[in-house]
Amino acid sequence: MIIGIIPARYGSTRFPGKPLADIGGKPMIVRVLEQAWQAQLLDRVVVATDDERIAEVVRQAGGEVAMTHSDHVNGTQRCQEAYAQLAGTGSLSAPGPHYVVNIQGDEPFINPAQIDELAAVLDGSVELATQMSPVESAEILHSTGEVKIVLNAKQEALYFSRQPIPFFRDLDPARWHEHHPYQRHVGLYGYRADILEKIAALPIMPLQQAESLEQLAWLEAGYCIKLVTTVHQSQAVDDPSDIDRALQSSRQG
């Protein structure tokens, strides 16, 4: 069984109430929910929230809600609490292993095919999975806002960094991307349920603290992260100014 869980908290620092923001006549969380419903490989979709206002909007749209604590530091922990609630009610009757796909609650036009690309590799042996896409410009490669991935021959992550790795000692940095197949991280995650429980309980690890990337804690703790290439690009809404950009991107897509 593969469960799509959409973490949605009300108290965003940069954009309070973001899940309820109007995106083309619908609350953003409803937009995300409707996209997730279209994915072919999800058996169930649940919104995990800490706010009754968000929960009510989801219920009115016909969605399922798991009410979670407000003190989670990331979506991984919120997904774990929501999954534990579902498991505790006995509603996960399908035989395991179970997987959770963490669908970002601020990507109102995520392509359902992107979700299916990730879900397709969740075969029972995979512990964790996430997505990547090729780096095609020096601007993206050297942007600290873009997380780059070093991977092995099995398409498994060796490291994530805000800096470009490998470093080409004798080449102009503006041309590094022409000499190596750099990959950038696309933040859709799949977790096997038993692994989700373990990583949600991890303390902050040194590599995670250095780069402010939670997936480095998973690697440092010894877990394996499978990488899946995607051709789909989704527009995240980080602040109110991103709403028009997201709508424009959806129309062009």
Side-chain angles (χ1 to χ4, degrees):
M1 173 177 270
I2 303 177
I3 305 165
I5 297 183
I6 307 170
R9 67 188 184 97
Y10 189 89
S12 169
T13 302
R14 286 183 292 180
F15 194 170
K18 180 166 64 170
L20 302 180
D22 185 279
I23 308 287
K26 293 182 181 180
M28 178 157 57
I29 189 61
V30 174
R31 289 279 185 187
V32 179
L33 185 62
E34 290 176 343
Q35 295 302 102
W37 278 337
Q38 295 179 59
Q40 298 297 304
L41 298 182
L42 297 182
D43 298 293
R44 191 170 178 178
V45 180
V46 178
V47 173
T49 187
D50 60 350
D51 191 274
E52 187 57 40
R53 288 164 289 188
I54 296 171
E56 183 58 26
V57 164
V58 171
R59 294 187 191 109
Q60 288 178 0
E64 184 178 1
V65 176
M67 296 302 298
T68 57
H69 292 98
S70 60
D71 57 355
H72 293 304
V73 298
N74 53 47
T76 299
Q77 291 182 352
R78 197 173 301 282
C79 283
Q80 164 55 22
E81 184 185 357
Y83 176 82
Q85 287 184 26
L86 298 176
T89 64
S91 64
L92 305 180
S93 56
H98 294 163
Y99 280 94
V100 168
V101 174
N102 179 345
I103 301 167
Q104 303 297 323
D106 60 0
E107 296 184 3
F109 299 106
I110 185 170
N111 193 315
Q114 181 183 347
I115 299 172
D116 284 334
E117 286 173 339
L118 185 69
V121 307
L122 305 179
D123 60 0
S125 64
V126 169
E127 294 183 335
L128 300 160
T130 191
Q131 290 182 308
M132 63 184 180
S133 65
V135 172
E136 297 177 344
S137 71
E139 180 182 8
I140 291 176
L141 181 61
H142 294 281
S143 168
T144 57
E146 295 284 353
V147 176
K148 277 71 67 175
I149 308 171
V150 183
L151 58 154
N152 65 20
K154 297 179 180 180
Q155 297 286 97
E156 298 163 345
L158 294 173
Y159 194 73
F160 295 79
S161 182
R162 298 184 184 279
Q163 295 292 340
I165 301 174
F167 178 96
F168 282 90
R169 184 178 60 182
D170 299 321
L171 287 176
D172 179 353
R175 299 188 58 199
W176 285 0
H177 67 288
E178 299 172 2
H179 295 266
H180 181 78
Y182 288 96
Q183 300 287 332
R184 59 180 283 271
H185 184 220
V186 179
L188 191 68
Y189 290 107
Y191 323 95
R192 203 171 70 202
D194 60 316
I195 303 298
L196 174 58
E197 181 179 9
K198 295 173 182 176
I199 64 173
L202 286 174
I204 294 177
M205 307 284 271
L207 294 177
Q208 173 189 5
Q209 189 168 32
E211 298 236 26
S212 190
L213 297 172
E214 67 169 314
Q215 61 268 41
L216 289 178
W218 312 344
L219 291 178
E220 193 168 355
Y223 297 105
C224 182
I225 306 175
K226 181 74 173 178
L227 275 303
V228 179
T229 300
T230 182
V231 298
H232 302 288
Q233 303 294 329
S234 52
Q235 179 70 52
V237 174
D238 293 320
D239 57 57
S241 66
D242 291 329
I243 292 177
D244 287 341
R245 204 157 40 242
L247 282 167
Q248 183 179 2
S249 177
S250 72
R251 293 178 185 127
Q252 291 173 348

